[in-house]
Amino acid sequence: MLNLVIFGAPGSGKGTQSERLIDKYGLHHISTGEVLREHISRGDELGKIADSYISKGQLIPDDLMIRVLENVLDSNPELTAKGVIFDGFPRTIDQAKALKEMLAKRDSKVHAVIGLEVAEDELMRRMIQRGAETGRADDNPETIKKRLKVYHTQTQPLRDYYIAEGKYHGIDGTGSVDDVHGKVVDSLTARLPEHV
Ligand code: AP5
Ligand code: MG
């Protein structure tokens, strides 16, 4: 059992590195951004609400986002049995506290937080490129700037929260995908040898 939080700014590589870690450790992956985008493409009520925030580069309110995650965990009890990579959650201190409670109820906890650290000009470059290639709706310069601002004001304080809990492992998120994956695995192997 290994629960990881992949933490980092928009475009830092959370989704990309999650995929590599799933392959290596056989963990489940919950990307709250992906969950919300699925609701948006279905056009349901949650999707409409999510779209109104995502299109402005804002966070979905904590109470709603926490209920959405709790619902994913409740509907898929096998996820927490094996271990989960939480990608894009938590994004606020209140979400971190809620995650702690949700996992404690399931006799579990966050074992480590992997922070992917990437300079802002590189984040911009990656997201603009992806926007051009895939058409992801929030990958346009105006919304990217808002997402980065929201990250600095609302999400980055979590870094100190997890440092205080002794769980934060900062990784240089630049270089090739393989290089970054190697650094993540080295960090987990050094700090959580009994789990990996
Ligand atoms: P979310 O989908 O989580 O988006 P994000 O955090 O903005 O991050 P991205 O998915 O854009 O980037 P990533 O870090 O996953 O990087 P990736 O691997 O894709 O959230 C979207 C929105 O949903 C939020 O803005 C918010 O509105 C809402 N939301 C979600 N969760 C929420 C929550 N908990 N609370 C409230 N609201 C929430 O890589 C990016 C690009 O770079 C890709 O093209 C990739 O191929 C490339 N790349 C990756 N690694 C490298 C590398 N090493 N070198 C070069 N390129 C690379
Ligand atoms: Mg992502």
Side-chain angles (χ1 to χ4, degrees), residues 8-17 31-34 36-37 53-54 57-60 65 87-91 95 122 125-127 130 136 138-139 147 173-177 180:
S12 57
K14 300 184 294 296
T16 305
Q17 291 302 322
S31 157
T32 42
E34 291 295 331
L36 297 171
R37 281 188 288 278
Y53 290 95
I54 292 179
Q58 294 170 354
L59 297 185
I60 277 68
M65 197 66 240
D87 160 2
F89 190 103
R91 273 171 136 99
Q95 290 185 14
E122 171 68 5
R125 190 195 65 72
R126 289 181 186 181
M127 286 186 279
R130 182 178 54 190
R136 183 167 142 174
D138 57 351
D139 280 343
R147 287 159 67 197
T174 51
S176 73
V177 171
V180 178

Side-chain angles (χ1 to χ4, degrees), residues 2-166:
L2 174 65
N3 292 313
L4 298 176
V5 170
I6 294 273
F7 180 82
S12 57
K14 300 184 294 296
T16 305
Q17 291 302 322
S18 293
E19 277 175 32
R20 301 296 302 270
L21 291 169
I22 297 161
D23 290 346
K24 185 161 176 71
Y25 298 118
L27 301 173
H28 296 284
H29 177 215
I30 302 176
S31 157
T32 42
E34 291 295 331
V35 170
L36 297 171
R37 281 188 288 278
E38 277 163 27
H39 283 277
I40 292 173
S41 56
R42 267 184 251 145
D44 61 18
E45 200 50 42
L46 173 59
K48 285 179 193 145
I49 297 171
D51 191 34
S52 71
Y53 290 95
I54 292 179
S55 60
K56 295 193 202 99
Q58 294 170 354
L59 297 185
I60 277 68
D62 281 341
D63 56 345
L64 175 58
M65 197 66 240
I66 289 164
R67 270 188 279 130
V68 170
L69 181 67
E70 183 121 51
N71 191 36
V72 172
L73 295 179
D74 282 344
S75 341
N76 304 280
E78 76 284 2
L79 299 186
T80 36
K82 173 82 187 173
V84 177
I85 302 178
F86 294 93
D87 160 2
F89 190 103
R91 273 171 136 99
T92 63
I93 304 276
D94 280 350
Q95 290 185 14
K97 290 178 179 163
L99 180 61
K100 195 174 190 171
E101 278 174 32
M102 278 185 240
L103 291 176
K105 262 200 281 179
R106 294 165 173 84
D107 293 321
S108 196
K109 64 176 183 176
V110 169
H111 293 87
V113 177
I114 302 292
L116 298 173
E117 299 175 350
V118 177
E120 198 135 322
D121 54 349
E122 171 68 5
L123 296 172
M124 227 4 169
R125 190 195 65 72
R126 289 181 186 181
M127 286 186 279
I128 297 224
Q129 187 177 338
R130 182 178 54 190
E133 286 170 3
T134 70
R136 183 167 142 174
D138 57 351
D139 280 343
N140 61 78
E142 196 192 335
T143 313
I144 292 170
K145 279 187 200 139
K146 289 183 188 155
R147 287 159 67 197
L148 290 171
K149 195 168 173 201
V150 163
Y151 171 74
H152 289 302
T153 53
Q154 294 181 254
T155 303
Q156 218 174 16
L158 267 181
R159 184 173 176 273
D160 287 341
Y161 173 93
Y162 280 122
I163 288 174
E165 290 214 331

